[in-house]
Amino acid sequence: MAECSHDCSSCSEKCSSASLIEPQNPASSVKHVIGVVSGKGGVGKSLVTSMLAVTMRRRGYRTAILDADITGPSIPRAFGLACGSVNGNDLGMFPALTKTGIEVMSLNLLMDEETRPVVWRGPVIAGTVKQFWSGVVWGDVDYMFVDMPPGTGDVPLTVFQSLPLDGIVIVTSPQELVSMIVEKAVSMAALMNVRVLGFVENYSYIKCPDCGAVIHPFGESDIEAIAEKHSTDVLAKLPVDPGYARLCDTGVIELFEGEPLDAAADIIEKKLSGEKAE
């Protein structure tokens, strides 16, 4: 087969080069890689990424987060990780460790100030994501969650083409435009031959602390119908809960209470069981 004559990192052509996966660091052994995506910003994608990693860690798995949201990294703040906390040697960079042992790599961990803007063009950002995969000594990881920026641009395309994804979790909210936005994310996954593991709907409802009544501030969603249309699952419906925001802002997301994503973890475990077994 003739080689292509263009840059496969910036297109969706299904040529032979586009299927090449970046190699892991020789000192890494990552079993499952799950992308966490959203069609639009502000739906709580990084929160879901963090809580999924914590949930899997509570189950005894070795978990990690690759923060691919290069220009808007929020994972370090959620876990209380400081800037400049990443070191390295000849083997590569070593991820930071959270209080419960979750490995994290994010651009903000390499910066001297968390508010310093990243004013980079797409190819540089895409190259950084690849470096976070192949240039980091992840060690033994059972589940890695990749927190992607919203939309269908350079970084999601780079992750879909360059990392060995087992599937993606799509984070949505029950707003009127959700159907269109979810369709875009699902369609991109189909173009890249990436499986959709399911949907997490954030801001789904509010539970009255006094009477326990459930209120749907954005109206009833149709996420179940969308999931059925695409033959996948609704992994979870998360409430509007200011407590989650406080935990993230104070760097202690690992302390969230209850089991809001246990059903999601059950489904992910079941769908990935037996894959990449060693």
Side-chain angles (χ1 to χ4, degrees), residues 11-275:
C11 78
S12 59
E13 292 289 331
K14 294 184 181 296
C15 52
S16 58
S17 298
S19 63
L20 294 177
I21 300 296
E22 287 287 311
Q24 290 188 50
N25 184 287
S28 299
S29 178
V30 181
K31 295 180 177 63
H32 296 293
V33 183
I34 300 168
V36 183
V37 309
S38 65
K40 63 186 292 294
V43 298
K45 173 183 49 58
S46 295
L47 171 68
V48 172
T49 302
S50 301
M51 293 176 71
L52 278 173
V54 173
T55 299
M56 287 301 195
R57 181 61 182 159
R58 289 176 178 178
R59 294 183 171 208
Y61 292 112
R62 296 163 294 189
T63 61
I65 299 176
L66 190 161
D67 189 357
D69 196 350
I70 302 299
T71 60
S74 55
I75 294 295
R77 169 66 72 90
F79 286 93
L81 298 173
C83 293
S85 57
V86 169
N87 298 307
N89 59 22
D90 292 342
L91 294 175
M93 295 180 289
F94 291 90
L97 284 178
T98 71
K99 299 174 184 67
T100 62
I102 298 171
E103 298 184 13
V104 175
M105 176 55 70
S106 173
L107 188 65
N108 259 17
L109 298 176
L110 301 172
M111 308 286 280
D112 53 1
E113 296 178 12
E114 69 172 2
T115 57
R116 185 183 295 276
V118 177
V119 188
W120 294 348
R121 295 190 182 275
V124 178
I125 294 174
T128 302
V129 173
K130 292 181 182 179
Q131 187 68 17
F132 282 177
W133 169 251
S134 61
V136 172
V137 180
W138 290 104
D140 292 324
V141 173
D142 296 310
Y143 289 95
M144 172 182 285
F145 296 93
V146 182
D147 186 26
M148 297 195 217
T152 56
D154 282 345
V155 171
L157 185 59
T158 296
V159 172
F160 284 167
Q161 290 183 329
S162 303
L163 271 61
L165 288 178
D166 292 284
I168 61 171
V169 171
I170 299 177
V171 183
T172 74
S173 62
Q175 294 170 308
E176 187 175 348
L177 293 177
V178 70
S179 298
M180 178 193 70
I181 294 167
V182 168
E183 291 286 349
K184 288 179 179 290
V186 172
S187 295
M188 182 177 186
L191 281 173
M192 306 307 299
N193 294 317
V194 174
R195 175 170 50 166
V196 177
L197 297 172
F199 302 123
V200 173
E201 184 178 79
N202 198 20
Y203 309 130
S204 183
Y205 61 91
I206 298 173
K207 190 170 184 179
C208 177
D210 295 324
C211 67
V214 174
I215 305 167
H216 298 277
F218 299 104
E220 296 286 348
S221 76
D222 58 353
I223 193 66
E224 284 87 1
I226 298 173
E228 183 178 358
K229 175 182 176 181
H230 296 289
S231 301
T232 189
D233 297 283
V234 177
L235 301 176
K237 288 186 173 184
L238 299 179
V240 177
D241 188 343
Y244 293 153
R246 286 195 296 270
L247 292 175
C248 288
D249 290 343
T250 55
V252 290
I253 189 58
E254 288 163 295
L255 299 181
F256 73 81
E257 297 179 348
E259 302 173 342
L261 290 176
D262 263 30
D266 288 340
I267 295 172
I268 290 172
E269 282 184 297
K270 183 178 179 180
K271 288 188 175 183
L272 300 185
S273 63
E275 296 183 7

